[in-house]
Amino acid sequence: MTDPALRTAEHESPTASTVRGLGLRARLLVMSLVTMTPPVLVATLVDIRNDGWPGALMLAGAFAAGGVFAYAAGSYIVRPVEALIQDAHVLSAGLSGHRSVIRSSDEVGQLAIALNQMAETMERRTAALADNERRYRFLFDSNPLPMWAWDAETTNILAVNQAAIDKYGYDREHFLTLQIVDLIDPSEMERFSGARLPFSETRQNAGSWMHRTATGKRLEMEVITTSSRRLGRASWLSVGMDITARREAERALARSEEQLRQAQKMEAIGTFAGGISHDFNNLLTGMLGYCDLLLSQLNPSTEAFADVSEIRALAVRGTELSRQILAVSRKAVLQPAVLDPNAIVLGLDRLLRRLVGEHITLHTHLDSEVGTVRADAGQLEQALLNLVSNARDAMPSGGRIDIRVGPITTEQRQRFTLDAQTDWTSISVADNGTGMSDEVKAHIFEPFFTTKARGKGSGLGLALACSMVERAGGEIRVESTLGVGTTMHLLLPRLDETVQVVDDADQEAGSLAGTETILLAEDEDAVRAVATAALERRGYRVLAAPNGDAAMAISLAFPGRIDLLVTDVVMPGMSGRALADRLVVLRPGLPVLYVSGYTDDEVLRKGISADERTLLAKPFTSLELARRVRTMIDNATP
């Protein structure tokens, strides 16, 4: 755009040159006349040929005088031009505010005016450029997002803002010596080489890239790039947004959603399995009870005794299956007790050796100073069976398994990040099998996750072990290296309590018999029948009821003393908890033994202590029922 003052000067300049230019021409004409006047006068007045050398001398003097006059006149004319040249040099040096002071009406004066107008125009345009530069710097440097410009051909970084300096950790001078590839993580180099597009002045969303800072920290950056030639060359201007935290949050959200889906799936499976197991436990309790009744009447040397014993063994295996399902779904009613880890391992030794087979050697390492732990015995045994089974499967060609019981050392406590205020006991299962990768280790405790071939494993073994340890207040840790082997650590808080040992032989001799009256409330006919028969054969008087309402009616109608209430927790109509609350009011001091395979109702379980004194878990044997009844009656407050 042409400056208005310049347009005015251009419009006026022809007229000014025509009018004022005569002054300079007149000066030059006068200078010429003055210069020629002395020689002309001398030549007119003196005859050089007749006067000889005096005449020639006079003519030479006339020329000299004309030269002096010409020099004096030329100096007068050139002096403003020299001043104007000096002004031009000053302006070209960039000195702002300088103006020519020449004032005349000739061409030199017009040139001085034009020079001053040009200086004013350049200063205005320079100020405008400086203002634009300040705006650009403000937008570029104060932008909170990292920005960098880089050469489209050489990929050299040409400019960088303060946000980029802060984000990447390079100082400005060092930053400007880098190439764009120096900001990109090495893992992205192949992608960057294939993603470069031909230069064109368009805006492009370059997508997300993994970058690396001066300290080596990895950043995930969302980059938008604009191409331009405004830097005097083909270049790209990139704006980056750090999305590392956002992507991590998205991944955490995805993990949470997956965990929620997994939890919902397990909740649905648990509800389904719990309902089935409840009925299954009732059936198993009836089978075990009838088997016990038959065995008490048969001669141990007969084939019938052996057959019934085999049936009973199958029923016991069914109870373990039911406990596994309920443990994984976290709906089992556990009965924690004080246990000796050495005794648990020794008790399983024969079974474990049969489980691993002859191609694997099994070694156990016990520690007499290990103390005791509190856990459900069946759950702990099942967890060990699952760990040994997994170790066996990791060594198809044979190997060695070491089961080690012992206290946790200070170094192990730190390595496993355990509570330093707690003494820990470890039961570890180590193998020298195939080992696991980090990716597999991240999923091994998820239900139904397995690396075994289809039909070779359910993926519940380690999930069960993890569930058992967590419910016992412990931790589980895994150490594994591909090609070296795996060690699983079951870590439980150590106790100094003594294990209560019950002599079954002494109790069978008659200590479990009694003459007391027992009110039995059980909605399952088979369970009610075998429980009644088992207790009556030991001398007890049993008042059997199929539900809570019937039990209340029997209690109200029975005039004598009732020594114990044995009730199922979950029954149609009145629950076992509600029945107990009402009977305790009518018969103060009445002890209550709850019987249940599982219950999902927190309200029904509220106030019921899941220990061996107040709760008998289904399925149970006749001996277990008799022992628990005798204990409850003997410990009742008179």
Side-chain angles (χ1 to χ4, degrees), residues 268-553:
I269 292 174
T271 301
F272 175 71
I276 293 177
S277 295
H278 181 267
D279 294 337
F280 188 45
N281 284 337
N282 284 330
L283 296 176
L284 289 174
T285 301
M287 292 172 63
L288 289 171
Y290 281 119
C291 287
D292 289 339
L293 293 176
L294 284 173
L295 290 174
S296 65
Q297 300 175 23
L298 295 174
N299 189 331
S301 62
T302 62
E303 292 184 1
F305 186 90
D307 292 341
V308 174
S309 297
E310 193 63 29
I311 294 173
R312 188 181 188 279
L314 293 174
V316 171
R317 289 180 60 186
T319 64
E320 293 302 323
L321 175 62
S322 176
R323 285 173 181 171
Q324 278 194 57
I325 296 173
L326 291 176
V328 173
S329 63
R330 294 179 176 267
K331 295 183 180 295
V333 179
L334 301 182
Q335 293 181 310
V338 177
L339 306 174
D340 180 0
N342 292 318
I344 294 295
V345 173
L346 285 176
L348 290 175
D349 186 76
R350 183 177 178 183
L351 176 59
L352 292 176
R353 294 184 186 278
R354 292 207 321 248
L355 175 67
V356 300
E358 296 181 355
H359 65 298
I360 295 176
T361 59
L362 178 67
H363 300 269
T364 57
H365 310 269
L366 306 180
D367 190 329
S368 60
E369 304 298 326
V370 75
T372 57
V373 297
R374 180 176 294 277
D376 182 275
Q379 292 277 289
L380 182 55
E381 291 173 352
Q382 190 61 50
L384 283 173
L385 284 170
N386 290 334
L387 295 184
V388 173
S389 176
N390 281 353
R392 175 203 62 191
D393 294 339
M395 298 181 291
S397 301
R400 173 185 175 122
I401 296 177
D402 288 273
I403 302 178
R404 191 178 302 275
V405 180
I408 288 295
T409 65
T410 302
E411 186 274 332
Q412 288 177 314
R413 181 186 288 113
Q414 295 174 350
R415 189 168 80 247
F416 296 150
T417 63
L418 299 173
D419 182 6
Q421 305 301 319
T422 303
D423 292 328
W424 296 88
T425 293
S426 169
I427 305 176
S428 63
V429 177
D431 66 71
N432 59 349
T434 57
M436 293 180 285
S437 65
D438 292 338
E439 182 179 359
V440 171
K441 283 191 289 185
H443 300 281
I444 58 175
F445 297 116
E446 296 177 3
F448 309 111
F449 175 81
T450 180
T451 58
K452 300 175 184 177
R454 186 178 180 87
K456 298 296 184 180
S458 63
L460 293 177
L462 292 179
L464 172 64
C466 183
S467 174
M468 183 283 299
V469 172
E470 289 179 353
R471 298 179 76 174
E475 304 277 351
I476 188 167
R477 295 289 187 272
V478 56
E479 296 179 301
S480 184
T481 304
L482 277 174
V484 177
T486 300
T487 302
M488 303 293 299
H489 301 271
L490 300 181
L491 308 172
L492 297 169
R494 173 179 172 171
L495 305 176
D496 292 325
E497 301 179 25
T498 304
V499 178
Q500 297 291 332
V501 180
V502 178
D503 190 340
D504 289 346
D506 291 343
Q507 290 189 331
E508 280 295 293
S511 62
L512 300 181
T515 59
E516 290 86 355
T517 300
I518 299 172
L519 176 58
L520 173 63
E522 171 60 58
D523 61 309
E524 183 64 31
D525 294 340
V527 177
R528 188 171 66 254
V530 296
T532 300
L535 293 174
E536 286 180 343
R537 291 188 183 187
R538 284 180 167 80
Y540 294 102
R541 181 177 184 179
V542 180
L543 307 176
N547 52 56
D549 293 327
M552 279 297 302

Side-chain angles (χ1 to χ4, degrees), residues 29 125 290 580 619:
L29 180 59
R125 292 183 177 179
Y290 281 119

Side-chain angles (χ1 to χ4, degrees), residues 74-139:
S75 298
Y76 175 74
I77 296 172
V78 170
R79 192 178 298 112
V81 176
E82 291 176 342
L84 196 60
I85 292 172
Q86 185 64 31
D87 291 335
H89 282 304
V90 172
L91 293 176
S92 66
L95 182 61
S96 178
H98 180 78
R99 295 291 184 273
S100 176
V101 296
I102 297 174
R103 296 291 182 267
S104 67
S105 60
D106 56 16
E107 287 84 348
V108 176
Q110 293 300 310
L111 186 59
I113 293 173
L115 186 65
N116 289 338
Q117 290 175 343
M118 182 178 66
E120 292 175 359
T121 301
M122 293 303 297
E123 287 179 2
R124 285 196 301 271
R125 292 183 177 179
T126 302
L129 288 174
D131 185 61
N132 288 338
E133 174 71 11
R134 285 192 296 272
R135 292 173 185 271
Y136 157 75
R137 279 295 168 191
F138 174 76
L139 293 175

Side-chain angles (χ1 to χ4, degrees), residues 182-209:
D182 295 323
L183 302 183
I184 299 175
D185 189 77
S187 62
E188 298 274 31
M189 290 306 301
E190 182 177 356
R191 176 187 168 206
F192 177 77
S193 299
R196 292 189 64 184
L197 298 175
F199 181 82
S200 62
E201 295 199 21
T202 59
R203 179 175 299 150
Q204 301 173 3
N205 185 349
S208 62
W209 294 82

